[in-house]
Amino acid sequence: MKEYQIQYNEKYAQKPLTRQSTGQSSADFDTKSVRSVLMHKMNLIKRRRKSIDDSERIEGPPYHTMDLDTVTQLLKSDLDDGLSESVIDERRSESGFNEMEGEGGVSPIKILIKQFLNIMVLILLIAMVVSFVFKDYIEGGVICAIMILNAAVGFMQEFKAEKTMDSLRQMASPTSQVIRNGHQKTIPTRELVPGDVIILKTGDVVGADCRIIESFNMDVDEALLTGESLPVNKVPEAIQGEDVPLGDRVNMSYSSTVLTKGRGKAIVTAVGMQTEIGKIAKRLLDSGDNSKTPLQKSLDRMALVLLGIAIISLIIVFAASKFNITNEVVLYAISTSISVIPEGLVAVVTLTQAFGVYGMAKSKALVRRLAALELLGAVTNVCSDKTGTLTQSKMVLTRLWRPSTGYYSVSGIGFTIEGDVTAESDGTIVTKETMDDGFRNMVNAAALCNMSEVRKDKKTDEWSGMGDPTEIALQVFAHKLQNGKPALVNKENNDGWRLVAEYPFDSSIKRMTILCNSPDGSNIAFLKGATERVLSCCVGMQMSDAGDIQAMSPEELQEIVLPRVDSLARGGLRVLSLAMRRIKNDGPIHSDTFIREQVEQEMIFLGLVGIYDPPRLESKLAVEQCHQAGITVHMLTGDHIATATAIAREVSIVPATYGLEDSDELYHKAKESAQPHIGDGRENLVMTAQRFDKLTEEEIDALPELPLVIARCSPDTKVKMIEALHRRKRIAGMTGDGVNDSPSLKEADIGIAMGENGSDVAKQAADIVLVDDNFATIVKAIEEGRRVFGNIARFVVHMVSGNVSELVPLLIGLVFIDASGHSVFPMSPIQILFNNILTSSPPAMSLGLEPIHGDQMLQPPRSKKDGLFSRSNLIDIIFYGFSIGIICICNFIIVLYAWGTGDLGVDCNGEYNDTCEQVFRARGALFATLTVIVLLHGFTCRDLRNPTWTWKALRGPQNKYLYYSTLFGLVLLVIVLYVPGLNTKVFKHRPISWEWGMTVASIFLYILVAESYKWVKRRFF
């Protein structure tokens, strides 16, 4: 069997090789689900290009056989500082972008065919065929032109929307942490080039093929490539033999594989189609998720309903003619069928969604699934993490507590390593020279049980941090005492501390441990983590002197330590505990000598550190906006309950006075400035996960309200919270960043992943990715989601009520029988198509671009059942449609019978003749009135409940696109009314004169009816 070398203090000694992982395996990681996600959707961009033949593919050098110096020289890179930004463009010109070529992506042909595969277009197609069969070539030609125009517009809009979605998916797909110019930065995976030094951590999807530089307990799931079900441990040493199988190249990591445990660094050796995954890309790439969203399904149901109405209309027309089906009857039936279909609806929906996705991207929220865009407006609860989402994630250690000497204050902000550590009891400043042994052990724990780095820029002399913000704060603190990790490890002389094994932070046990070999040869384990989890591992407390250790039970430790934790946490500090243990062993100790449980026992407690992470300035306002919008915000955090409560007060998740009852001074001070809060008068607003997890489903459901804050939260607690919300029929959004957050992101109605600090697995599980990890961005996304759904509802009401307003005159028109016994069209088929496509669609598109209304975030969330065709919207469609239709048919009747003689002429559904003067003029009057009212109906539909025709509304914020579309429609109306030939031969109407006065009167009547209807809605419903 192949063998690899065991990691030993970031230096490696030769040892028999094994495929078994070092340390504890990642048994709790769902390897299968990650693999299925990866095989379903690639993490790299998919383009339609000519495939590269295997014979054309250039095999790279056997990097696994080379030592790191050779690899670095070959790739012209630097293991410490990475590539220089100045060479990136040159490298990219040689290697191209790190993306796949082959099948998949956006298919123009499929989108074009899709334009003709819906029921609405099918009815038009039948109408066109019937028109040609009955030799009505003008009407058939116009219908054909309308179909082509509609398909072209729909294609352009949908193709652009699909391209936008495709690009945004790539923006939301895995990013990579690289070192360039000596600085750590986040870049899209597609921008990796050979020679880039990348940083890998648990949950990352490896962005390119790479050679391992450093690794600690680094297990990688390579099932996608090798089929191995167990993760493979990675080490940096060279392996002999160029023909070693992929699965045995333990010093290489490959594109699209997943880190299930540990961390490491690697140097990129191949990108794009030159990667191992690129060689099998054609078998893995697909076209993405084409399942229909709830909105699309709703539109499909609407199409079926409209098809049913069209069929019923046909039957009514045929029945009126006593089923004596002549050419005239068929053409009339076609007209009624066409009037039912909102031909431009699909195109308008696509355009509106595209603008919604684009708008959310501008607000730094990337939509991965369109269903999330539709559901955002119905969100009732948002469950958010604290660190980095509600807070700035700019952590600094400001206070600490030692058992023997009490509290200390630490000065200095940011990454600057300058600052004083001052004893609060007597003002003494602690230095490296004056530290007692107990204090020194505590600083050593902070520096060594820590995977972060603090660096000084060679050009600007500014300090920066690389790694987890909490660990950076601890590392900066150690540097302030000249006792940072670089000073302790001292790699050059090999006389410093050596890292033997690492047991990484685990969210389920909330602690991390490292095993070190000290300069004097002894083996020491350092532990850091949540106080409750650390104290359970401890058997004593370190005092000032090295040998002064007081033996204590965990209960005695808790009695002493927990009040100090509360004291630190009440100030909004995140509290961590540090501990250590000297380990004796007969033989040499390696990374796999002990399992985690053997090391994390009989620890000696060293002290507490308090780390402050200030809330984002915008978080409080964003939470208050949620409350105004009827959305409840929950904070689910791993912090201590007192820390969580303090931050929750600051950002208004809980009332300003909550938890301050024990301090009269603080309570009354907070009471003076407190505002009314949704949590006023409620109990159990804050709860520990330990208490929440012990509750049964029945007990949780019996709670009057679910807690607003859960402290010491685990991934399982998040899932339990989502399930509890679902049982209460709530629609929940959940944030997450780690691998273990994937179940809760999937369980939530809307999973929200962190773009900056989130793992790639979490991003794959999420519906939305926040580019800036900011809670305020969630609120903006909800606001945009409400706007998009509201706009779709507005233009659907506008378009379909316009169709109803055409159907009403046509059905009433069956009673107008001419001398030959045929019904006379109140509207011609071309007039109907003109109104559906050119009059109704542009205002509908403008309604799709309606800006955010001032009261949008003052309304409660809509019910999940309150979809696009809610009872309210259906009543609006029917009322407005019948009202406009009745007003318009009255115009037709007045021109024909009041002004005229009631002569319906002969064959006036066909060519114009002298007997058709009155009918054609009445059609012109009806057409003009209907066109103008439908255009103005767009303004009515801007707000389906509040007035839009009052002076106050007209002076408020306006939709300029609606004015442009209205002007466009009026210009077209004048053209088709007065251009000779076009009016009588194509549209089958005559120009009008005095009838414009009747149109103006109809407009005023329509406005009166619309505003009266809205008043009734506001007053009684």
Side-chain angles (χ1 to χ4, degrees):
M1 178 181 284
K2 297 287 178 186
E3 300 183 354
Y4 64 73
Q5 297 169 333
I6 297 296
Q7 189 170 340
Y8 192 80
N9 188 34
E10 301 185 18
K11 304 285 184 182
Y12 303 89
Q14 189 70 29
K15 187 181 176 180
L17 293 171
T18 171
R19 289 292 304 277
Q20 184 180 357
S21 298
T22 60
Q24 190 180 21
S25 68
S26 305
D28 60 337
F29 188 85
D30 189 355
T31 302
K32 182 178 179 181
S33 67
V34 173
R35 183 168 69 251
S36 64
V37 168
L38 288 169
M39 296 188 73
H40 178 67
K41 189 185 293 291
M42 289 293 298
N43 296 321
L44 299 174
I45 287 181
K46 300 163 279 186
R47 301 250 186 226
R48 180 176 288 276
R49 296 184 192 158
K50 185 178 179 181
S51 177
I52 296 177
D53 188 81
D54 289 339
S55 62
E56 298 175 354
R57 186 174 292 112
I58 302 172
E59 295 292 340
Y63 291 106
H64 62 281
T65 66
M66 305 175 186
D67 59 38
L68 288 174
D69 289 338
T70 305
V71 173
T72 306
Q73 292 173 12
L74 196 61
L75 293 171
K76 299 177 183 178
S77 186
D78 186 289
L79 296 184
D80 293 323
D81 294 338
L83 291 176
S84 170
E85 290 285 359
S86 60
V87 303
I88 299 300
D89 290 339
E90 180 184 349
R91 299 264 175 136
R92 188 165 294 123
S93 65
E94 296 173 358
S95 64
F97 281 100
N98 182 32
E99 58 192 27
M100 294 289 106
E101 298 175 3
E103 301 294 331
V106 180
S107 172
I109 301 298
K110 289 182 180 179
I111 293 176
L112 182 61
I113 294 174
K114 183 181 175 182
Q115 305 308 311
F116 297 95
L117 296 180
N118 66 71
I119 294 172
M120 302 183 199
V121 176
L122 182 62
I123 293 176
L124 281 181
L125 181 64
I126 294 172
M128 180 190 72
V129 172
V130 172
S131 297
F132 282 125
V133 168
F134 287 93
K135 298 181 180 181
D136 192 341
Y137 298 115
I138 293 179
E139 182 176 307
V142 171
I143 294 175
C144 181
I146 290 293
M147 287 177 58
I148 294 172
L149 175 64
N150 190 52
V153 172
F155 170 79
M156 288 187 291
Q157 291 173 348
E158 188 163 348
F159 182 73
K160 183 178 180 181
E162 289 292 335
K163 292 290 287 184
T164 301
M165 284 297 299
D166 192 56
S167 64
L168 289 177
R169 285 191 196 102
Q170 304 312 321
M171 289 172 65
S173 68
T175 54
S176 295
Q177 296 281 332
V178 301
I179 298 176
R180 289 182 180 172
N181 287 345
H183 291 278
Q184 180 178 335
K185 62 185 298 186
T186 302
I187 64 170
T189 299
R190 74 185 296 265
E191 295 182 8
L192 288 175
V193 296
D196 262 327
V197 176
I198 59 176
I199 298 172
L200 302 168
K201 63 183 185 301
T202 302
D204 282 353
V205 175
V206 181
D209 287 4
C210 50
R211 173 74 157 78
I212 304 299
I213 300 173
E214 297 177 2
S215 66
F216 256 94
N217 290 349
M218 183 174 166
D219 287 1
V220 179
D221 174 17
E222 295 183 340
L224 182 67
L225 281 174
T226 66
E228 289 283 349
S229 59
L230 294 176
V232 179
N233 184 256
K234 298 295 181 178
V235 294
E237 272 58 50
I239 298 174
Q240 299 304 314
E242 294 186 11
D243 296 330
V244 174
L246 287 181
D248 291 330
R249 296 180 188 179
V250 293
N251 60 2
M252 298 288 294
S253 192
Y254 299 102
S255 175
S256 296
T257 57
V258 183
L259 258 75
T260 62
K261 189 180 73 170
R263 61 180 178 85
K265 288 183 184 178
I267 184 169
V268 174
T269 58
V271 297
M273 295 302 291
Q274 299 305 317
T275 62
E276 293 298 329
I277 199 69
K279 298 173 185 177
I280 54 173
K282 286 192 115 182
R283 285 177 289 167
L284 295 179
L285 292 171
D286 60 29
S287 298
D289 186 4
N290 293 321
S291 60
K292 292 189 175 183
T293 69
L295 176 62
Q296 291 168 335
K297 293 176 181 177
S298 181
L299 291 174
D300 287 345
R301 289 194 297 270
M302 183 201 74
L304 291 174
V305 171
L306 294 179
L307 176 62
I309 295 174
I311 293 173
I312 293 171
S313 300
L314 285 174
I315 295 173
I316 292 173
V317 172
F318 291 153
S321 64
K322 298 180 181 179
F323 292 95
N324 181 21
I325 302 175
T326 63
N327 291 6
E328 293 287 333
V329 173
V330 170
L331 291 176
Y332 199 101
I334 290 173
S335 299
T336 57
S337 299
I338 291 173
S339 71
V340 173
I341 306 302
E343 289 82 2
L345 183 60
V346 175
V348 178
V349 169
T350 303
L351 180 68
T352 303
Q353 288 183 321
F355 274 103
V357 170
Y358 178 71
M360 289 183 64
K362 286 177 66 178
S363 299
K364 299 185 178 180
L366 306 180
V367 178
R368 298 190 70 253
R369 297 180 180 89
L370 273 179
L373 181 67
E374 300 164 18
L375 202 55
L376 272 170
V379 168
T380 60
N381 296 71
V382 176
C383 301
S384 174
D385 191 11
K386 177 184 76 68
T387 304
T389 308
L390 290 164
T391 62
Q392 298 178 26
S393 196
K394 294 180 179 178
M395 299 189 183
V396 58
L397 195 154
T398 59
R399 204 173 180 217
L400 61 90
W401 179 78
R402 277 278 302 132
S404 54
T405 49
Y407 292 101
Y408 293 80
S409 297
V410 184
S411 63
I413 59 174
F415 300 132
T416 305
I417 64 171
E418 298 173 355
D420 295 328
V421 180
T422 308
E424 295 182 5
S425 58
D426 57 10
T428 304
I429 295 178
V430 179
T431 65
K432 183 176 183 179
E433 291 73 24
T434 62
M435 284 190 293
D436 58 50
D437 291 328
F439 201 106
R440 189 180 307 278
N441 285 335
M442 182 176 180
V443 178
N444 287 346
L448 293 171
C449 191
N450 193 319
M451 299 303 112
S452 69
E453 296 180 31
V454 180
R455 289 185 171 193
K456 189 175 185 179
D457 191 280
K458 297 175 182 177
K459 296 180 180 179
T460 64
D461 289 336
E462 293 182 356
W463 289 89
S464 61
M466 295 172 56
D468 180 78
T470 303
E471 294 195 332
I472 293 174
L474 290 168
Q475 199 64 255
V476 169
F477 161 67
H479 275 71
K480 289 176 180 177
L481 292 167
Q482 292 79 50
N483 209 63
K485 190 174 184 178
L488 295 174
V489 173
N490 196 7
K491 294 182 182 180
E492 296 180 2
N493 300 325
N494 290 327
D495 60 354
W497 292 78
R498 293 187 302 160
L499 195 57
V500 177
E502 173 191 332
Y503 305 92
F505 179 82
D506 187 330
S507 59
S508 62
I509 60 175
K510 293 182 170 55
R511 57 180 180 249
M512 169 190 176
T513 303
I514 61 152
L515 182 58
C516 293
N517 185 258
S518 68
D520 64 10
S522 61
N523 297 302
I524 299 177
F526 289 109
L527 169 69
K528 77 168 187 288
T531 300
E532 304 93 294
R533 303 303 179 92
V534 171
L535 292 181
S536 65
C537 301
C538 292
V539 295
M541 182 180 290
Q542 173 77 61
M543 309 310 284
S544 296
D545 296 332
D548 189 2
I549 298 175
Q550 293 187 7
M552 295 183 183
S553 67
E555 292 75 19
E556 291 173 323
L557 282 167
Q558 289 177 9
E559 188 175 344
I560 295 173
V561 174
L562 292 185
R564 273 74 181 184
V565 173
D566 289 337
S567 177
L568 292 170
R570 282 177 183 271
L573 301 183
R574 184 180 187 185
V575 184
L576 296 178
S577 290
L578 302 172
M580 64 171 284
R581 176 194 176 192
R582 295 184 182 275
I583 295 180
K584 295 180 181 181
N585 196 57
D586 294 336
I589 294 179
H590 301 288
S591 59
D592 56 353
T593 302
F594 303 106
I595 63 173
R596 183 170 201 148
E597 289 76 10
Q598 291 175 312
V599 176
E600 293 178 346
Q601 60 180 329
E602 298 181 4
M603 288 281 179
I604 305 301
F605 179 79
L606 296 175
L608 303 171
V609 292
I611 298 172
Y612 184 60
D613 184 14
R616 293 179 184 265
L617 297 177
E618 61 271 27
S619 290
K620 183 178 180 182
L621 178 60
V623 171
E624 290 173 347
Q625 285 180 323
C626 284
H627 292 166
Q628 292 173 350
I631 300 169
T632 303
V633 180
H634 305 263
M635 185 171 79
L636 279 60
T637 176
D639 283 339
H640 185 273
I641 188 168
T643 307
T645 304
I647 296 297
R649 281 197 302 266
E650 288 191 55
V651 297
S652 199
I653 289 179
V654 298
T657 57
Y658 189 85
L660 299 178
E661 293 80 2
D662 296 339
S663 174
D664 291 338
E665 181 181 352
L666 292 175
Y667 180 84
H668 291 297
K669 185 177 180 181
K671 186 78 172 176
E672 291 175 1
S673 58
Q675 300 292 325
H677 192 278
I678 61 171
D680 288 336
R682 285 170 48 187
E683 298 180 354
N684 295 321
L685 295 182
V686 180
M687 192 179 290
T688 62
Q690 183 180 18
R691 179 183 169 193
F692 185 77
D693 290 341
K694 287 181 179 178
L695 297 175
T696 63
E697 289 187 3
E698 292 74 17
E699 290 172 330
I700 292 175
D701 294 342
L703 294 174
E705 296 289 343
L706 292 173
L708 298 179
V709 177
I710 298 182
R712 295 299 193 219
C713 185
S714 69
D716 290 339
T717 310
K718 292 185 176 182
V719 174
K720 193 169 185 177
M721 184 67 162
I722 292 295
E723 291 173 345
L725 287 168
H726 285 167
R727 290 196 299 273
R728 294 174 184 240
K729 308 301 181 184
R730 305 291 177 86
I731 299 175
M734 170 67 77
T735 68
D737 52 11
V739 176
N740 290 338
D741 289 330
S742 299
S744 60
L745 292 175
K746 281 289 188 183
E747 184 74 20
D749 299 284
I750 298 177
I752 306 167
M754 302 297 108
E756 288 184 352
N757 298 312
S759 68
D760 293 336
V761 175
K763 293 176 188 176
Q764 291 291 340
D767 303 297
I768 293 173
V769 177
L770 302 184
V771 175
D772 57 357
D773 294 7
N774 193 339
F775 180 83
T777 303
I778 301 176
V779 180
K780 292 178 184 176
I782 292 173
E783 187 176 50
E784 184 66 23
R786 287 190 175 192
R787 185 189 74 85
V788 169
F789 191 88
N791 287 354
I792 292 175
R794 291 182 186 101
F795 70 64
V796 165
V797 169
H798 175 267
M799 293 191 80
V800 180
S801 60
N803 289 106
V804 175
S805 70
E806 295 168 351
L807 184 62
V808 169
L810 287 171
L811 292 179
I812 294 176
L814 289 170
V815 303
F816 302 118
I817 307 297
D818 63 12
S820 61
H822 296 123
S823 296
V824 177
F825 299 171
M827 295 180 69
S828 69
I830 306 303
Q831 285 179 328
I832 295 168
L833 288 171
F834 177 89
N835 268 318
N836 286 357
I837 302 296
L838 297 178
T839 303
S840 185
S841 292
M845 290 181 183
S846 302
L847 288 171
L849 301 175
E850 181 74 13
I852 294 171
H853 287 201
D855 63 345
Q856 192 163 268
M857 291 298 283
L858 300 177
Q859 304 295 326
R862 61 180 174 82
S863 167
K864 195 172 184 178
K865 296 180 180 179
D866 193 14
L868 194 59
F869 296 97
S870 63
R871 185 178 66 175
S872 175
N873 289 351
L874 288 175
I875 293 173
D876 287 348
I877 288 170
I878 295 170
F879 178 82
Y880 286 125
F882 271 91
S883 299
I884 297 171
I886 294 297
I887 291 173
C888 292
I889 195 65
C890 287
N891 279 251
F892 183 84
I893 293 171
I894 290 171
V895 173
L896 199 58
Y897 291 98
W899 176 80
T901 60
D903 183 9
L904 295 175
V906 178
D907 193 24
C908 292
N909 293 335
E911 298 293 329
Y912 174 76
N913 58 66
D914 293 340
T915 65
C916 296
E917 173 68 24
Q918 292 182 24
V919 171
F920 271 51
R921 195 170 182 113
R923 274 196 201 128
L926 188 156
F927 176 67
T929 302
L930 178 63
T931 301
V932 173
I933 291 181
V934 167
L935 289 171
L936 297 180
H937 187 45
F939 291 90
T940 299
C941 292
R942 285 191 66 201
D943 194 321
L944 297 174
R945 190 169 185 86
N946 297 310
T948 51
W949 291 105
T950 62
W951 181 246
K952 179 181 178 181
L954 294 174
R955 291 192 61 182
Q958 298 298 309
N959 183 345
K960 63 180 181 180
Y961 303 105
L962 198 54
Y963 285 98
Y964 296 152
S965 60
T966 301
L967 181 61
F968 172 73
L970 291 174
V971 170
L972 288 180
L973 172 62
V974 172
I975 292 173
V976 300
L977 269 176
Y978 294 103
V979 172
L982 181 65
N983 50 14
T984 54
K985 292 186 177 181
V986 177
F987 282 82
K988 297 183 174 61
H989 60 219
R990 292 280 293 166
I992 61 175
S993 54
W994 66 269
E995 290 89 347
W996 282 112
M998 191 168 54
T999 298
V1000 171
S1002 298
I1003 291 170
F1004 283 109
L1005 177 60
Y1006 159 75
I1007 292 174
L1008 178 63
V1009 170
E1011 292 300 326
S1012 299
Y1013 171 67
K1014 287 184 180 181
W1015 179 85
V1016 172
K1017 284 179 69 175
R1018 292 193 303 274
R1019 182 70 182 271
F1020 300 104
F1021 300 98

